[in-house]
Amino acid sequence: MSGSVVDNTVSSGNSSAAIPTDISGQILDLDEDDDLEVFSKDTTLTDGSSLNASMQTSSASMINQYKFEEEEEDADTKDIFVTVDNPESHVTAIETYITYRVETKTTRSEFDSSEFEVRRRYQDFLWLKGRLEEAHPTLIVHPLPEKFVMKGMVERFNEDFIETRRSALHKFLNKIAEHPIFSSSEDFKIFLTAGSGELTSHKKQGPGFLSRMGETVKAVAAAVRGVRSRPQEFTDMQEYVEAFSQKISSIDKVTQRIVREQKEYLEELKECGPTYALWSQSEEELAEPLKNVAGCVDKCCKETDEQVKHLNDHLIPVLHEYVLCADTLKAVLRRRDNIQADFEAKTEALATKKADRDADSKVLSLAWGSLVGRSPEEVKQQKQQKLKGEIKEMRDELDKTEDRLEWANNALKSDWTRWQKGMRTDLRSAFIDTAERNVSYYEKCLAVWESFLQSQRTDAEGNGNVDFS
């Protein structure tokens, strides 16, 4: 691994350039949706039933190893800083996509250098998220930008869309960098430091298609089987997530509708100013007030435009981000349930096997012994020995699954507290910021119209025509 890595070439033959104002006419590859996202829902079906090589197998060592901080890290103690910026479009004969510069500064000793710079596309971020979920099925991985299902919903690669996506990717990496477990992941380190060729090679080391299909089948089977006795604390979590999901989704939809209506209002308002100005040309007696009204409307248009932009850029992304966080939490709880379902199924299988061992199989032994020419007692002992070995294997596997379930439960409980604190901080900040912006917006619009009223009072008093008191 190189000390300071710069990955400016994504694939041979690509042309890298600053983002053009309009490249919507370029040919897009078949997986273009992988690079057209805003926040992503859970994309893996890992049930956590297979131990990753990087996971500990002893419950004591695993649980004691993972310590979660109750307080957020201060800037003075943070030892890894990640920035996502400088998006570039890449156009080839068969595809058009965007890469982002990922800059890392760190004082950690496990890194070969203190600074790294690489370029990554969305597929790389998606790979990192999947690897973290595979290794830690019940830790909460922050959501990624999601794919737009319908093409044409937004102009492809326009500046606002790209900036929204860049900001989301930046937040994703910084959430990983702040996490006490994810930030120490080897996959995260490779993502931040490896050249494009090295990263591609590392990706190929993951589980194959058949392995992933096997895990998917296990996950579906566990989901169908369900759990018999989920601990109450996880039932409470599930109920909280369902309620949170409904509320945040409703607020997200209403806020988006309000912004759409404000944009329509703004378009109507933009037509008023010129109309008043045009009218003033044919009304000599009202010319001055009409011009003043036109000026006030224009000023309010400017403030309304800023208000809409602020809501669209600051409040809506946060609300939608936590809509997707709710989906992530549901997936994490499902994976926890799948691990418990696996444990319960293995417990039942072991109990059944023990019952077989203890059952009287004398009739079967006599029949089998007469066929092979051996004494019934010899056959019975042989069968009992075989059952004993099978029971030992099943008990060992059950112990490992119990360790995995205990780790999963403790990891989720710790990360749940951490997630709630971060969520409340983010939403509180967004609400306060929106409230302050609303106050500023209405105060400025109020000042504009008060200025108009004051000018009209002054003119009326000068002419002695109207009493405004």
Side-chain angles (χ1 to χ4, degrees):
M1 190 175 297
S2 60
S4 181
V5 180
V6 179
D7 176 21
N8 290 322
T9 304
V10 177
S11 62
S12 60
N14 290 6
S15 59
S16 302
I19 301 170
T21 56
D22 182 11
I23 57 173
S24 57
Q26 300 291 348
I27 299 175
L28 298 178
D29 65 341
L30 293 178
D31 68 344
E32 65 169 322
D33 284 338
D34 289 338
D35 292 288
L36 294 174
E37 316 74 12
V38 144
F39 282 101
S40 95
K41 298 184 179 180
D42 181 66
T43 55
T44 63
L45 292 174
T46 306
D47 70 339
S49 60
S50 63
L51 270 177
N52 185 285
S54 64
M55 292 175 61
Q56 302 290 327
T57 56
S58 166
S59 60
S61 64
M62 287 188 295
I63 296 166
N64 292 333
Q65 177 185 356
Y66 296 137
K67 303 295 184 181
F68 293 84
E69 299 296 334
E70 294 296 330
E71 300 297 332
E72 293 294 331
E73 294 176 313
D74 295 327
D76 293 339
T77 60
K78 191 173 179 180
D79 56 4
I80 184 167
F81 300 86
V82 184
T83 303
V84 178
D85 60 10
N86 190 26
E88 288 183 357
S89 63
H90 298 258
V91 182
T92 69
I94 60 173
E95 65 174 342
T96 298
Y97 59 93
I98 296 174
T99 64
Y100 301 84
R101 179 173 63 187
V102 178
E103 288 187 313
T104 305
K105 296 183 180 180
T106 182
T107 57
R108 293 189 178 183
S109 59
E110 61 264 31
F111 287 83
D112 297 336
S113 178
S114 61
E115 296 186 12
F116 296 88
E117 178 182 321
V118 295
R119 296 205 70 84
R120 297 287 183 250
R121 59 188 296 181
Y122 177 76
Q123 293 171 334
D124 302 326
F125 288 85
L126 189 62
W127 167 82
L128 175 61
K129 180 176 180 288
R131 292 286 288 180
L132 294 175
E133 288 176 338
E134 288 172 10
H136 310 284
T138 56
L139 293 182
I140 302 167
V141 182
H142 200 72
L144 269 176
E146 66 184 339
K147 301 176 183 178
F148 282 108
V149 178
M150 294 180 61
K151 304 198 184 285
M153 289 178 63
V154 296
E155 181 185 349
R156 294 187 182 99
F157 305 129
N158 67 47
E159 291 184 2
D160 290 341
F161 172 65
I162 290 173
E163 173 55 26
T164 299
R165 187 166 53 181
R166 181 211 61 79
S167 178
L169 296 174
H170 174 84
K171 187 165 187 179
F172 167 76
L173 286 187
N174 277 275
K175 287 288 188 180
I176 301 302
E178 293 167 3
H179 197 281
I181 307 306
F182 294 149
S183 63
S184 299
S185 163
E186 182 66 19
D187 291 314
F188 183 51
K189 177 183 174 184
I190 293 226
F191 177 91
L192 296 177
T193 63
S196 58
E198 185 180 355
L199 181 63
T200 301
S201 176
H202 188 74
K203 284 182 179 181
K204 295 178 181 179
Q205 298 175 11
F209 175 76
L210 292 179
S211 176
R212 293 196 302 272
M213 283 295 296
E215 297 304 322
T216 300
V217 171
K218 289 182 181 179
V220 171
V224 171
R225 186 167 55 242
V227 293
R228 291 196 309 271
S229 56
R230 181 191 298 113
Q232 184 60 41
E233 56 194 323
F234 298 114
T235 298
D236 293 342
M237 281 185 193
Q238 192 169 51
E239 292 174 353
Y240 175 91
V241 170
E242 290 295 336
F244 176 82
S245 178
Q246 292 177 3
K247 293 171 184 175
I248 198 72
S249 294
S250 296
I251 294 296
D252 178 49
K253 290 176 182 177
V254 170
T255 304
Q256 291 192 48
R257 186 166 66 246
I258 289 173
V259 170
R260 285 196 301 270
E261 291 173 354
Q262 285 190 337
K263 287 180 178 179
E264 293 173 359
Y265 163 73
L266 179 59
E267 292 305 313
E268 297 288 344
L269 196 62
K270 286 179 179 179
E271 297 180 5
C272 286
T275 302
Y276 278 111
L278 185 62
W279 186 12
S280 69
Q281 297 176 11
S282 59
E283 284 284 353
E284 185 176 347
E285 294 297 325
L286 290 174
E288 195 61 30
L290 286 171
K291 288 179 181 179
N292 288 341
V293 170
C296 291
V297 170
D298 288 341
K299 291 178 181 178
C300 287
C301 275
K302 180 180 178 182
E303 296 302 328
T304 302
D305 193 23
E306 290 295 321
Q307 172 73 353
V308 171
K309 189 175 187 304
H310 182 274
L311 291 174
N312 203 55
D313 293 348
H314 294 86
L315 181 59
I316 286 181
V318 175
L319 293 176
H320 193 63
E321 172 186 346
Y322 278 97
V323 168
L324 298 169
C325 275
D327 293 327
T328 296
L329 290 170
K330 291 176 185 178
V332 168
L333 288 167
R334 284 196 300 270
R335 290 197 290 266
R336 194 220 69 84
D337 282 356
N338 288 345
I339 296 173
Q340 181 176 336
D342 185 38
F343 172 74
E344 291 174 351
K346 289 177 179 177
T347 301
E348 289 180 359
L350 179 59
T352 301
K353 186 66 69 173
K354 287 181 177 179
D356 290 344
R357 180 193 61 185
D358 298 336
D360 184 8
S361 56
K362 183 176 180 180
V363 175
L364 177 61
S365 299
L366 285 171
W368 177 251
S370 63
L371 289 174
V372 299
R374 290 183 294 176
S375 67
E377 187 62 30
E378 181 182 355
V379 172
K380 186 175 182 179
Q381 288 180 357
Q382 185 178 13
K383 183 177 180 181
Q384 290 292 317
Q385 192 65 29
K386 180 181 178 182
L387 285 172
K388 184 177 179 181
E390 291 175 348
I391 289 172
K392 183 179 183 306
E393 290 179 2
M394 294 176 69
R395 185 181 291 113
D396 291 343
E397 184 61 28
L398 183 63
D399 288 343
K400 291 179 181 179
T401 306
E402 185 177 18
D403 284 348
R404 185 161 58 248
L405 178 60
E406 187 174 357
W407 177 89
N409 289 343
N410 282 280
L412 177 53
K413 286 187 287 187
S414 296
D415 224 20
W416 172 260
T417 301
R418 194 174 189 279
W419 177 83
Q420 281 192 314
K421 183 174 182 179
M423 174 270 293
R424 288 163 181 161
T425 298
D426 288 347
L427 291 181
R428 183 182 293 112
S429 176
F431 295 152
I432 291 174
D433 186 43
T434 300
E436 291 176 343
R437 186 65 186 81
N438 283 341
V439 170
S440 174
Y441 166 69
Y442 289 113
E443 283 180 343
K444 289 178 179 179
C445 289
L446 180 62
V448 167
W449 291 110
E450 283 181 339
S451 175
F452 170 77
L453 288 176
Q454 184 61 37
S455 68
Q456 295 308 297
R457 289 192 183 102
T458 301
D459 291 345
E461 290 171 359
N463 295 329
N465 295 331
V466 182
D467 182 8
F468 286 91
S469 61

